[in-house]
Amino acid sequence: MFRTLLAKEFREQWRTWKMIVFLAVFLITGIISPVLAKYTPEILKSIPNLPAGLADFIPTPTVADSVAQYLKNTEQFGILLVILLTMGVVAQEKERGTAAMLLTKPVSRSAVILAKWLSGMTIVMAGL
């Protein structure tokens, strides 16, 4: 029964474009992260009231730094997005009345929530 719930969640995310938007956010974050790391010293130098030499403390970014920053951002941002999207999906199903119908079936509430959460986390892992 859990596999059916999980398949339903994946179909629903694909049909509502949530999966594509989610992956696009990770793609944009992946592109912006190294660019921001490269130009951070120049941005700091352009701030007028910043102490002189502060931008010199930032080391020159490397590819490893960019990858590490992307992974860190993906972990933090991805888990937050999964939580928010799962809350939104649960509220939407309650509003449409599909949650009531689903919970009349022999399935536990925790299995329903776990399927929603697992489908979101799968997308986060695909974004890595």
Side-chain angles (χ1 to χ4, degrees):
M1 188 62 147
F2 182 74
R3 190 176 358 177
T4 307
L5 285 172
L6 192 58
K8 171 197 150 311
E9 291 304 320
F10 279 120
R11 270 194 316 275
E12 192 169 309
Q13 285 188 7
W14 183 258
R15 289 179 185 162
T16 59
W17 294 78
K18 286 180 184 173
M19 186 180 298
I20 295 169
V21 170
F22 207 69
L23 292 175
V25 167
F26 284 122
L27 178 67
I28 291 168
T29 304
I31 292 170
I32 290 175
S33 188
V35 173
L36 184 62
K38 178 177 169 110
Y39 290 110
T40 297
E42 285 82 10
I43 293 170
L44 287 175
K45 286 177 186 175
S46 69
I47 298 174
N49 294 329
L50 203 63
L54 183 63
D56 297 333
F57 287 115
I58 298 175
T60 305
T62 64
V63 173
D65 293 335
S66 295
V67 171
Q69 183 172 348
Y70 172 72
L71 291 175
K72 183 175 64 170
N73 291 344
T74 301
E75 288 172 6
Q76 295 169 351
F77 190 59
I79 291 174
L80 180 63
L81 275 177
V82 168
I83 291 169
L84 292 175
L85 286 176
T86 302
M87 287 174 18
V89 168
V90 170
Q92 189 178 33
E93 283 194 357
K94 183 180 177 196
E95 183 179 293
R96 288 187 302 189
T98 56
M101 182 200 65
L102 183 64
L103 292 174
T104 61
K105 307 293 181 204
V107 64
S108 68
R109 292 174 190 251
S110 59
V112 172
I113 298 298
L114 184 62
K116 292 177 187 318
W117 181 80
L118 190 59
S119 67
M121 285 305 291
T122 303
I123 295 171
V124 168
M125 296 317 245
L128 292 176

